[in-house]
Structures are given as C-alpha cells and as structure tokens.
Amino acid sequence: MSQPTHMISRRSMLKGAAASGVGLIVGGSLLASPGGDMTIESVALPAAKDAWFAQRVWSLSGNKVLMTDNASPRPATSLARQIYLPRSAEEIVSVVKSLPATTPIACVCGGHESSNAAVFASSDAVVLDLSHLKSIDFHRDGESMLVTVGTGVVFRELVEALKAQQGALPVGTGPGVGVVGYLVNGGLSGYFSRRLGLLGQRVVKLTLVTPAGDLRIITPEDELFVAMLGAGSALGIVVDVTFRVEPASAVLGAEQRVVAFETRAQAVAFSRGALRFMRDQAFSNESVSMELVVTGTKALVATVVFYDSFKGSTADFVKPLEDLAASLKLAVVMKAHWGSWYETAAALWPVIAGQTGHPLATLQHCVGTKGVPADQILDFVCNTLVGEAPLDEAELSLVEIRTLGGAALAGSRLPSGNCHHTFFVDLITLYDAKNKTADERQAIVDLTQRVIDKAREVNGLTVDFSGTHSQPDDVGYVVAASDMFGTAAMAETVKALKQRMDPHNRLRFHPFARLL
C-alpha cells in the first residue's frame, strides 16, 4: 500500500530516531545514544485548550455531567497544564525526556475512554495527543500479511485500508475509536473474535516510549510484550503496533434482523427467546457469532456473523428469529445481508454517527460468564439488564449481548478478562445531557448503578472485566484486578511490571488506575 504524503511510515520513523540520536532499544539493547537537536519547543501545541477538548472528546462520562457542590457540572475542558501534538516517536521522546521524571503524562488516541481520565488529566500533568501518528504500512512475512499501524489511527481508517488489501482484523465497531487505545486497554470484538481472536492476540511487534523516555521495540520474547496487550496504557506510550492480518475471506458476511417493540415487556420476551437461540444454535457452532442489541429507540437488532467454515443457508439459519418475532406479534422492520468482512465491520458506522449530544453523556459497564450461560443467567440478563436498564430515560442507550469465546478463548492469554469469557453483555447508557435536568442526570446514574449492583449479586456472573467496557470513575467503584486482567497471576505480573517500568506512576490516567 502506498503511503499518503501526510503519513509517517514506521520505517522512516525508526530511521529518523536513529539519525537524530534518540535512544532505540531492541530486546533490551540500546542501539543509539540519546541526544540530538530535537527539543520540546519544536513540538506542536493546540491553538486553544477548550477547542481541543471539544474536538477530541466523543462523549463525557455520565459522572462528569452531574452537579457539583456549587450546583454546576464540571467544566468541560482539560485540567492539564499543557497539551502536545507530537508527530513522531522522536517528538514523544523529546517531550518525555524534557519533563521532570515525576511529571504525570496522559495519552489520548481516539478520545472514547469511558471515564475521560486522559483528556481531563490533572493540573500538574501534560497530555500527549497522538492523533497525528497516522501511518498504516502493509508488508509481508512469508505467506502472511502484516500491517503496522500508528497510534493515531482510528478504526475507520484501518478498516478502509484493510479493504483495499483484502484483509481482515477483529476490529471494534466504533469508527472513531483509537486502534491502539482499544488494544492496550483489553480490546473486544463480538462480531469477529470467535474466528479471528482478540486484536491483541494478533500482535507480533510494537514500538513504545517508556515512562523514562526510552524508545523500545517489543516482540514476544520480551517480558513486557504480553502485559502491553491489555494493560499497556499503564506501562508505556505506544508509537505503533504490527498485526498479523487474516484474509478477508475468513468472514463470509452477516444477516441482520431489526424488530420493533413498544413495551419493555415485549423487549424482555423477545430477548428471552433470542438468547435461548443464541445458547442452543450459536454457542455450539463456532462457524457463527451472534449479537442481540436492545436500543432505547425501541428496536431489537439481531445480527449473526458467518465465518468461512459455515455450511448452509445464512437466511435459513436466522429464520427462527423471524419466527420468534411473529409469535410475539412484533414486526421485522428491516432485513439486511452483508456480503463481506468489510460490510460487516462498517455496518454500524451510520448508527454511531447518530449518537450525538451537547454533550453526549455515557456510562459503560459489562457483565459476562466464562462458560455458556445457564438459564438463570439468561433470565437475569433479560429481566434485569434488558428490563430495568434506563433505556427510556437515556434514549440513545444500548444493551449489547454477544457470543465470545472460540479463537479468543483458545488464543494466547492476555491481561484482559475478554479472553477468558464466552458470553458478554455491554450496558451502554447514552443520552444528550443538554436535554436533561440535574435530577434526571442523577436518576440515570442511580438506575444504572442499581442494575449493576444487582448483577454483582448473581452467582457465576463477572462484572466489569474489561478496561474498554467499564466505568472506573463511578463512586465506590468495585472491581477485582484478577477479573480485569483475567487471572490473579496475570494481575500480579502487571503490578510488578508497573512498579518497575513506571516507579513514579507517570502514566496514571487509564482505566486501571485504582488497581495498580
């Protein structure tokens, strides 16, 4: 793939680092001595902090739009004393090395982190906005295709580039989500993970700047490699990541059926039948994955993705979902067939584009099981998560229910609860804060918390096991490190690396801050 002139290829970046004297470490060995003419003064700054904040933040945490003691919401701007816009690894190193060793550093890629920790930062911190590192570089390793992705790339850009190369990766559905931010905080892919694994399981190499300002290339032989693929936002500043790409033919396409409902009882009834179908037909068949989304706009969206091992008619496979809707006297208002990995990956972009507010407020929690869910788990999901979530109060909200497992469960163990779970439910509370009173905003938080508190009491159900799908700024936030990082042993490994790599806790603005 040819590189647009505004992109910085990884090879050029590394050559530039060596030529300028930036320290480059491969496998623990220093290849070039620090020094050179690069200074922090040469790194670009935003024109205005408030404008930068408004442009970079997709949504504000629902906790951030509540009233404070002086009866006003928290100001929507960064607290950081300075924001830098580096365009290369060299510039990242110059910023890190020019600051006192104890200065906190926040890193922003896509601006979707649920608690907004990085964009808000703190008054003694600096923010590195990495959005200018836009390189996408395809290359070969024998019969395999690899792609090296700069840390500023978002999923829409990566998906479009993969389409041109007839490749596929287990990408997230949000087009503006930062690829690297998603990866280093645990990642997830309900559509593709059963066939392609988690995105972190496809990494073969990454380049990072340590909290001390050293530039390193990390490969599977390095003890830091695995920890970066789920807890990396606490350990280093990623410059780029190299993934092993699967052919696009791995995904045949998908069938989607949209069912309209009027009452919450109807949504619960359809969900109960659809989740039995998921358990009986999807969990036992690794040639498919399934997702059911219940929306605040009165729609039930059932999507089944088919992989290259699937045999038979895709339309026939989803016919029982149409029959379920008919038995409940609910209308199937849309039928869609997606004929490729690209169509499936890009299908929800128009829907996500419609999720806007002034500001858009969000709260995000997940629950799941490590095995196929039992009837009592499915009943709880239907009766409580679907039945009681604030879908009416927060009209843009979603309850996403997905099959996981498959290749993700069989692949390498990462510091992410996502690779240990087979069943996943994402409760995404979304609304336009401008249209809500102070009491209504607080009620939405309270309703969400009440549902999650009930989930914590259900035997066999794990709550908030993903850094990309949890709300770490909740009051009284409770989560186990062993759940977030998959196992107690992995949690201890991450903690030990954090103490060694970042003894001053410079990288403290991330979803794991209360755990490390």
Side-chain angles (χ1 to χ4, degrees), residues 74-328:
R74 184 173 185 172
T77 191
S78 180
L79 302 175
R81 62 184 176 87
Q82 189 58 273
I83 299 162
Y84 292 98
L85 308 173
R87 295 179 179 272
S88 66
E90 180 186 13
E91 292 194 349
I92 295 173
V93 169
S94 73
V95 173
V96 175
K97 283 190 172 292
S98 297
L99 298 169
T102 56
T103 300
I105 298 173
C107 298
V108 180
C109 297
H112 281 65
E113 199 269 315
S114 59
S115 67
N116 309 117
V119 287
F120 274 111
S122 65
S123 59
D124 58 340
V126 301
V127 171
L128 298 179
D129 179 347
L130 304 172
S131 59
H132 288 298
L133 278 73
K134 289 289 191 182
S135 59
I136 302 177
D137 184 11
F138 287 92
H139 38 112
R140 307 292 304 189
D141 178 19
E143 296 298 314
S144 298
M145 179 187 293
L146 304 178
V147 61
T148 299
V149 180
T151 197
V153 173
V154 298
F155 276 124
R156 178 189 292 274
E157 295 161 341
L158 179 57
V159 168
E160 295 288 1
L162 286 165
K163 177 188 178 184
Q165 297 292 325
Q166 298 183 327
L169 284 172
V171 297
T173 52
V177 173
V179 175
V180 169
Y182 172 92
L183 166 75
V184 299
N185 288 313
L188 186 73
S189 175
Y191 281 175
F192 305 122
S193 60
R194 299 194 89 203
R195 172 64 175 82
L196 303 179
L198 297 180
L199 191 59
Q201 291 169 323
R202 304 194 72 86
V203 176
V204 299
K205 181 165 54 178
L206 57 86
T207 307
L208 64 86
V209 177
T210 71
D214 295 320
L215 185 63
R216 296 182 62 177
I217 294 178
I218 304 297
T219 63
E221 290 71 33
D222 193 296
E223 65 173 337
L224 186 59
F225 180 82
V226 170
M228 289 298 300
L229 307 176
S233 60
L235 300 172
I237 304 166
V238 177
V239 176
D240 64 38
V241 180
T242 300
F243 301 100
R244 192 172 300 280
V245 177
E246 194 77 9
S249 58
V251 177
L252 298 181
E255 297 284 346
Q256 187 178 84
R257 302 294 182 265
V258 180
V259 177
F261 69 92
E262 292 295 331
T263 69
R264 193 68 69 92
Q266 291 173 328
V268 170
F270 183 87
S271 298
R272 184 175 290 111
L275 293 191
R276 262 58 179 189
F277 174 84
M278 177 186 288
R279 181 195 60 194
D280 298 338
Q281 302 300 321
F283 279 116
S284 61
N285 186 347
E286 291 195 358
S287 69
V288 303
S289 65
M290 179 176 168
E291 177 183 81
L292 174 67
V293 178
V294 186
T295 79
T297 54
K298 307 293 188 183
L300 297 145
V301 185
T303 305
V304 180
V305 177
F306 299 89
Y307 305 132
D308 50 0
S309 57
F310 178 78
K311 306 296 182 185
S313 165
T314 61
D316 288 348
F317 188 90
V318 301
K319 181 66 162 51
L321 295 171
E322 299 175 11
D323 295 340
L324 171 63
S327 71
L328 297 171

Side-chain angles (χ1 to χ4, degrees), residues 435-514:
N435 296 327
K436 303 294 181 184
T437 66
D439 288 344
E440 287 171 335
R441 296 179 189 187
Q442 186 64 60
I444 290 169
V445 170
D446 293 343
L447 281 169
T448 302
Q449 194 59 59
R450 194 175 306 144
V451 169
I452 294 303
D453 286 345
K454 289 181 180 181
R456 296 187 193 281
E457 300 300 318
V458 177
N459 187 40
L461 198 61
T462 312
V463 178
D464 285 352
F465 55 87
S466 169
T468 54
H469 296 82
S470 62
Q471 196 68 36
D473 66 340
D474 275 351
V475 175
Y477 175 71
V478 177
V479 66
S482 57
D483 289 336
M484 186 67 76
F485 298 121
T487 65
M490 187 69 82
E492 289 304 311
T493 296
V494 170
K495 288 179 182 179
L497 284 168
K498 174 66 172 176
Q499 292 171 3
R500 189 162 80 247
M501 291 292 299
D502 190 13
H504 298 295
N505 194 24
R506 303 187 78 178
L507 304 178
R508 66 187 68 166
F509 306 102
H510 53 77
F512 320 120
R514 299 192 190 184

